[in-house]
Amino acid sequence: MNLQTWISGRVRKAPENFIPGSGVGTVFAEARAGRRDFIRNAFAAAASGVAASAAVAQGAAAAGDGDPAILKLPAHSTGLGQPVAAEGYGKPSKYETNVQRRTSPGLTQTRQASVSFAPLQSLFGIVTPSGLHFERHHQGWWDIDPSQHRLMVNGMVKAAKVFTMDEIMRLPSVSRFHFIECGANTGMEWGNVAVPTVQYTHGMLSCSEFTGVPLITLLQMAGADLKKGRFVLAEGADGSSMTRTIPMELIESGEVLVAYGQNGEMLRPEQGYPLRLVVPGVQGVSWVKYLRRIEVGDQPWAAKDEAVHYIDLMPDGQHRQYSSIQECKSVVTTPSGGQMLLDKGFYNITGLAWSGRGKVQRVDVSVDGGRNWRTARLESPVLSKCLTRFNIDWVWDGQPAIIQSRAMDDTGHVQPSYQQLRAARGSRSIYHNNAIQSWAVQANGEVINVQLS
Ligand SMILES: Nc1nc2c(c(=O)[nH]1)N[C@H]1C(S)=C(S)[C@@H](COP(=O)(O)O)O[C@H]1N2
Ligand SMILES: [Mo]
């Protein structure tokens, strides 16, 4: 990936994001359907302290007063519904088809070496539905026959071992919620504002419940020399020759998993079916998909994806290597770029926070470009190396506003401003941009991506 393609101006406009989805988009949809007053009433009531759902119910009752149409029951209340879909795999409602992964036009030359972004603006809670998980493939994805798939453990071990999927799935398993973030997430924004929506600025981020076997179990079974063998090489079975060095400390902690499960079912092919490495807190590239080999060694391998790619250009012109942890970061997902506030009044500002070093401790939110901050509510669960959902009330006065969030993790790391980040890292880097994101709400309600100087 070169910086020029990342900051390509061609991705600035994303008209599809203006089509109503969830959150603020829904309000926009109602407005277009000519129901402004209904929404106004509901939001005015919510702002005056009534719970939002109750307010909406009140608004509906008020709108129905004296309206004969309200007495006519809709077909779904009088007729017979659809039969059970017992044979099939469930799908979202036809009214939710706008909630999709998206690619960024002009970002990559082929769709095999490319990325699709998760629609963060449309998601609730912390789990990414598997069909909306972002994708990053260096050489396309595969749907590999699990009965043919093998995992070899070799190198500094007593006896090299080859595992079938059946053998792996018989072992004691664990299930854990973790985020995965591509190191290049938000990479387009290093130099200047480049893309319009949170889907494109932060959408190389997803969070799942992963199920699998701790890698340390497999290493112990092969009799790994944990004294001298302080590094592991993980290798994928696709054509990208994806190989990454993982330090043994991470593996010994029991956190690194050889995973086959994602959100209660087998991994999706795009996510590395039937086996992928889960390396909590570490950038996505180390989460090797289609995992076929684990080699124990006594030094880092400096593989192509560690020596040429995934290095950080520093202000003095030198490159930094093996910077793998995803530092503390957060982003407001609603209101966010491309969304539209219908009217002044109550809004729930919501977003996601995460840290590759542990738990999110606190998230502060500003609506005036960082002059004043209020502490947001962290919704449970707050888990280590996992997305955390935050919410905070806001009554918009109809004036231009700049919304920001600033996270702090339990090691005390505070998310930096762009000024602070650029002072340390320069502005020509690609990876590990964890700067504070700013969304400007304009007087007409339109929300746009901005950077404060
Ligand atoms: N075998 C293999 N593993 C891989 C990759 C790949 O191209 N091939 N891409 C890596 C990168 S750069 C990222 S960010 C994550 C993306 O995982 P996802 O596609 O499940 O979101 O997978 C990593 N593991
Ligand atoms: Mo990545």
Side-chain angles (χ1 to χ4, degrees):
M1 273 163 295
N2 85 34
L3 193 63
Q4 276 321 111
T5 53
W6 275 109
I7 61 173
S8 156
R10 272 183 288 170
V11 294
R12 284 192 93 113
K13 289 249 180 300
E16 74 274 25
N17 207 60
F18 287 85
I19 300 167
S22 335
V24 171
T26 311
V27 175
F28 188 42
E30 296 283 359
R32 286 210 307 204
R35 302 180 63 194
R36 264 178 180 272
D37 290 342
F38 165 75
I39 294 297
R40 276 219 180 89
N41 293 344
F43 275 80
S48 64
V50 185
S53 58
V56 169
Q58 274 178 6
D65 279 348
D67 179 0
I70 201 85
L71 300 174
K72 234 166 95 196
L73 288 170
H76 61 252
S77 301
T78 53
L80 192 58
Q82 303 293 318
V84 289
E87 313 290 328
Y89 192 103
K91 285 200 205 74
S93 160
K94 66 182 177 195
Y95 300 106
E96 297 298 322
T97 48
N98 187 48
V99 181
Q100 291 187 8
R101 297 193 275 222
R102 293 195 171 93
T103 55
S104 178
L107 184 61
T108 57
Q109 286 180 345
T110 74
R111 288 181 62 120
Q112 283 78 27
S114 194
V115 45
S116 73
F117 299 83
L120 302 182
Q121 70 282 4
S122 303
L123 304 182
F124 313 119
I126 58 173
V127 171
T128 311
S130 298
L132 296 174
H133 195 291
F134 86 95
E135 301 160 88
R136 173 74 177 103
H137 317 302
H138 292 240
Q139 192 90 338
W141 62 270
W142 295 93
D143 199 356
I144 295 173
D145 180 351
S147 72
Q148 301 301 309
H149 190 71
R150 299 288 182 272
L151 173 67
M152 178 158 98
V153 179
N154 72 334
M156 298 173 73
V157 297
K158 274 209 190 77
K161 269 183 108 58
V162 175
F163 294 91
T164 63
M165 285 302 296
D166 284 336
E167 286 166 341
I168 290 171
M169 293 178 75
R170 281 177 66 175
L171 296 172
S173 69
V174 297
S175 294
R176 296 195 189 127
F177 290 89
H178 290 296
F179 75 82
I180 168 173
E181 182 183 22
C182 176
N185 199 24
T186 324
M188 301 82 111
E189 303 281 313
W190 267 104
N192 51 273
V193 167
V195 290
T197 68
V198 72
Q199 180 155 13
Y200 294 122
T201 56
H202 289 76
M204 284 196 271
L205 171 74
S206 293
C207 183
S208 301
E209 185 193 39
F210 291 100
T211 297
V213 178
L215 175 56
I216 191 70
T217 305
L218 302 183
L219 294 183
Q220 284 162 347
M221 288 172 77
D225 181 349
L226 297 179
K227 250 204 166 126
K228 293 207 196 94
R230 297 308 296 163
F231 298 92
V232 146
L233 184 77
E235 179 183 83
D238 56 325
S240 71
S241 307
M242 180 53 69
T243 42
R244 291 285 304 183
T245 302
I246 316 289
M248 195 61 87
E249 301 95 77
L250 292 181
I251 298 163
E252 280 170 324
S253 76
E255 280 191 2
V256 177
L257 306 182
V258 171
Y260 44 81
Q262 175 188 359
N263 297 332
E265 59 184 358
M266 289 295 287
L267 288 166
R268 291 294 168 92
E270 304 95 298
Q271 268 63 62
Y273 181 90
L275 208 58
R276 97 174 297 168
L277 204 62
V278 165
V279 194
V282 170
Q283 61 179 331
V285 66
S286 292
W287 297 45
V288 175
K289 302 190 276 192
Y290 319 108
L291 183 68
R292 74 166 176 206
R293 197 166 68 89
I294 290 288
E295 181 179 338
V296 180
D298 57 4
Q299 54 190 324
W301 274 261
K304 73 166 167 38
D305 286 296
E306 302 173 326
V308 184
H309 310 292
Y310 300 94
I311 51 178
D312 302 326
L313 179 60
M314 301 300 277
D316 66 359
Q318 299 226 359
H319 277 98
R320 189 174 74 167
Q321 206 182 0
Y322 295 119
S323 53
S324 58
I325 303 290
Q326 295 301 103
E327 299 287 357
C328 189
K329 186 167 170 180
S330 70
V331 68
V332 169
T333 53
T334 292
S336 62
Q339 293 183 325
M340 179 95 186
L341 303 193
L342 172 66
D343 204 350
K344 52 191 174 191
F346 179 85
Y347 287 93
N348 178 49
I349 296 178
T350 190
L352 295 164
W354 62 101
S355 167
R357 297 203 183 269
K359 287 185 186 177
V360 171
Q361 177 116 344
R362 193 171 116 190
V363 178
D364 293 333
V365 170
S366 174
V367 293
D368 59 7
R371 269 186 292 277
N372 297 287
W373 296 89
R374 285 185 298 145
T375 299
R377 239 169 32 244
L378 302 186
E379 305 302 339
S380 60
V382 177
L383 301 169
S384 181
K385 304 174 188 179
C386 182
L387 294 188
T388 297
R389 171 66 59 176
F390 66 86
N391 286 303
I392 189 167
D393 297 350
W394 181 45
V395 178
W396 183 42
D397 59 8
Q399 298 300 307
I402 293 179
I403 302 181
Q404 302 176 315
S405 65
R406 179 180 65 191
M408 186 176 96
D409 68 17
D410 60 1
T411 70
H413 186 107
V414 179
Q415 189 181 358
S417 66
Y418 265 105
Q419 267 172 323
Q420 291 168 322
L421 186 72
R422 286 181 183 135
R425 302 270 318 275
S427 61
R428 311 242 325 146
S429 204
I430 297 173
Y431 306 103
H432 308 296
N433 176 351
N434 68 329
I436 291 171
Q437 170 69 41
S438 306
W439 303 118
V441 180
Q442 298 170 296
N444 67 358
E446 213 179 298
V447 187
I448 58 168
N449 182 7
V450 295
Q451 289 186 11
L452 307 184
S453 51

